[in-house]
Amino acid sequence: MKVLACIKRVPDTGAKIVLTEDEQRIDTSGLGFTMSPHEECAIEEAVAQVETHGGSAHVLTLGPPEADEQLRTGLAMQADEATLLETDEEEWSPRATADALADGIDRLDDEGFDLLLFGNESADAANYQVAVRVASELGYPCVTGIKDLEVEDGTAIAKREISGGEEVYEVDLPAVVTVKEGLNEPRYASMRAKMQARRQEIESVEPRAETRAGGLEKVRLEAPETDDSPAEILGEGSEAVPEIVEILAEEVEVV
Amino acid sequence: MILALVEHDKGTPEELSLEALAMARELATAEGDSLEAVAFGDEADALGDELGEYGVEAVHCVAHHHLERYAPDAWAESVVQLASEREAKTITAPGTDRGREVLARVGTSLDAPMATNCLAVDIADDGAYELRRNRWGGSLIEHARLDGEHKLLTAAEHEFPIEPAASPTEPSVSTFEPDVDDDLFAVQVDRVETGDEEGIPLGEARVVVGGGRGVGSAEDYDQLEELAELLGGTVGASRAAVNEGWRPHDDQVGQTGAKISPDIYIACGISGAVQHMVGCKGADTLLAINTDSEAAIVQKADWAVIGDLHEVVPELNEVLRDAA
């Protein structure tokens, strides 16, 4: 079985997000980069499915040259191959991203992938649509928001949480599945695996995307105002307990 | 015409659908356009009375012999056909799993752009939409333009107030029979498995006691469990605590976990990373118990206790127990 995990490089934001002066992006000076937790689960699932069923696990991203760092994380988690659809720093719209990914997936492999995994939504833009659009372009079925996945005899059995339980889908492979954190526990890469991943070759491919008139276009970003009024300090240690009880009883009325 | 997808439970509209409907109505009012709703499933025809209060002029109930179980491609195709017949250029959906995935599929059929997590939408002079939408779970706002022959939008959670329209309507209720091929049922709910859920779900709890890395071990959550029980609430956890294996992922509060909206969130030993805070920003009040007075959570809390949760929580439990 050939399994693909698609990921996105995003800033590893700390306790406060600071914007650049032109309000076009997050000021990443001093910040590291990562991928969404959903996507770590996508990589883990790709590798685990290949460990169970045989085959190969492939990691793909559309991003700047530096996104090879996230691809190497995938390789260190025991993915077999990694491909970068290399862009400049600019952000691509969800439609352009989906176009480029679908085209890239087509060119990556003649036989095609059996299972294509995405995060349910990206950590930053959260457009909730790239995977659905890619599936449509490739003509594959797509299930989203999955937290439980099994593959048996060419069928993906995928479960999504609903109020009071789970709804179960059974779709024939090849299929696109978007996953949520909680699907599995992503493995920690050993130091040795990280060292090996550093030496592995990453294929860099120029993306092709149809640019269409109209669409969704970012104008600028805004850091919403937060209430910075300091907390009322009730006290230190257990001496504050009477104050807590008063608040629970009088202000919040839960006792 | 603006077409709003409405999810419902046997004729009672879901809260997030009413919020999305509020967004759609704002647009309809601004454009001087009419607002119509599309709904699937049993007893959709009972939606008329309630949706009339929110200014809906027509309710289209989709009927198809294969649609007794949810099928996203078939839903999307039905919406596309209805939108074409009714000449709807703007289509809205609630910010739910179904709302988003159905509308994204409508986007592929109509080759139309879609803006999710919308907070506010204005109409520019050229007819494009100027909107604000949530990024990073709401810790950043994007100002964007949405333009095209068709425009698709989903509403961010709990941002549009559910208020009856100034002038209620008496909507027409009709059945819409789409022409849907069998291959659009390749993805369809096969069955539903009911969970063995114990206690109060995080999203519905009035009190949430959250524990982070400062809790220190799985066993130390016993104290938080007791506090939650004494307050009729439930226990949540930060991603750090879940990663340590102290709590299951279902307990996780944050951008990739549960979004909570209790009367009070008691955050114990949680530092307050952005990704955690977007999960608990719906809480009415926040009490932080933390050894570090400089922790981000202390800055964001209404009240804070500077101290070790292992001291404060047992003492608090004892007082509450005695008072009970």
Side-chain angles (χ1 to χ4, degrees), chain B:
Chain B
M1 194 267 284
I2 292 176
L3 183 63
L5 174 64
V6 172
E7 291 181 83
H8 64 101
D9 182 20
K10 296 195 167 54
T12 304
E14 303 281 358
E15 188 183 354
L16 293 176
S17 288
L18 290 178
E19 292 176 8
L21 204 54
M23 174 180 76
R25 196 177 78 212
E26 279 182 21
L27 275 168
T29 307
E31 298 210 65
D33 215 338
S34 66
L35 172 61
E36 302 186 2
V38 55
F40 294 77
D42 289 348
E43 298 174 41
D45 53 353
L47 283 164
D49 288 346
E50 192 161 352
L51 295 188
E53 287 177 39
Y54 299 100
V56 171
E57 286 167 49
V59 180
H60 304 278
C61 309
V62 180
H64 188 278
H65 60 285
H66 264 163
L67 266 175
E68 73 283 4
R69 283 175 286 119
Y70 171 69
D73 295 303
W75 276 39
E77 177 58 23
S78 304
V79 170
V80 167
Q81 288 176 16
L82 177 65
S84 162
E85 190 181 299
R86 302 291 307 146
E87 295 181 3
K89 297 299 181 194
T90 296
I91 308 171
T92 66
T96 58
D97 284 339
R98 289 185 176 187
R100 287 186 290 241
E101 74 174 0
V102 167
L103 203 63
R105 286 160 152 93
V106 170
T108 65
S109 288
L110 297 175
D111 194 18
M114 164 166 113
T116 54
N117 312 332
C118 293
L119 303 165
V121 191
D122 285 320
I123 300 159
D125 294 339
D126 62 358
Y129 289 170
E130 290 175 343
L131 55 88
R132 288 187 296 130
R133 58 181 299 272
N134 273 340
R135 285 190 168 220
W136 290 99
S139 43
L140 263 194
I141 294 169
E142 173 187 355
H143 295 246
R145 268 174 65 89
L146 181 67
D147 198 6
E149 191 194 343
H150 292 92
K151 302 182 188 76
L152 312 178
L153 308 108
T154 74
E157 260 174 83
H158 307 318
E159 294 289 346
F160 289 91
I162 301 171
E163 283 165 7
S167 43
T169 46
E170 283 186 22
S172 62
V173 178
S174 58
T175 302
F176 180 74
E177 293 180 11
D179 179 12
V180 188
D181 288 344
D182 285 350
D183 61 358
L184 292 176
F185 291 90
V187 180
Q188 183 166 33
V189 171
D190 185 72
R191 58 192 178 274
V192 170
E193 294 176 354
T194 47
D196 46 351
E197 198 115 327
E198 284 173 41
I200 309 158
L202 267 178
E204 293 165 26
R206 279 189 67 202
V207 177
V208 176
V209 180
R213 201 187 295 278
V215 178
S217 74
E219 294 71 37
D220 283 307
Y221 274 86
D222 291 351
Q223 299 290 348
L224 305 192
E225 289 278 7
E226 188 183 354
L227 177 57
E229 201 183 318
L230 286 162
L231 298 174
T234 197
V235 167
S238 72
R239 181 158 187 261
V242 173
N243 281 350
E244 292 287 351
W246 301 338
R247 300 297 293 187
H249 182 269
D250 289 348
D251 286 358
Q252 186 173 315
V253 172
Q255 191 174 342
T256 50
K259 313 279 190 293
I260 59 170
S261 51
D263 293 347
I264 184 166
Y265 180 45
I266 305 176
C268 307
I270 289 176
S271 63
V274 167
Q275 291 85 342
H276 184 73
M277 299 314 295
V278 298
C280 64
K281 68 177 178 175
D284 286 343
T285 59
L286 171 55
L287 166 66
I289 302 175
N290 209 293
T291 50
D292 178 7
S293 62
E294 300 294 313
I297 195 116
V298 175
Q299 308 303 312
K300 288 166 182 154
D302 298 292
W303 308 285
V305 175
I306 309 305
D308 186 351
L309 69 98
H310 300 91
E311 245 176 71
V312 180
V313 175
E315 177 79 19
L316 177 60
N317 288 346
E318 202 179 313
V319 173
L320 291 172
R321 247 193 332 262
D322 291 347

Side-chain angles (χ1 to χ4, degrees), chain A residues 199-235:
Chain A
R199 288 193 297 269
Q200 256 169 290
E201 197 182 327
I202 288 179
E203 188 189 5
S204 181
V205 178
E206 196 181 327
R208 287 195 297 240
E210 221 180 299
T211 45
R212 298 165 172 145
L216 178 65
E217 203 182 310
K218 178 181 77 183
V219 176
R220 68 181 178 91
L221 300 175
E222 174 193 340
E225 298 209 355
T226 51
D227 174 19
D228 279 340
S229 59
E232 180 188 337
I233 305 291
L234 300 179

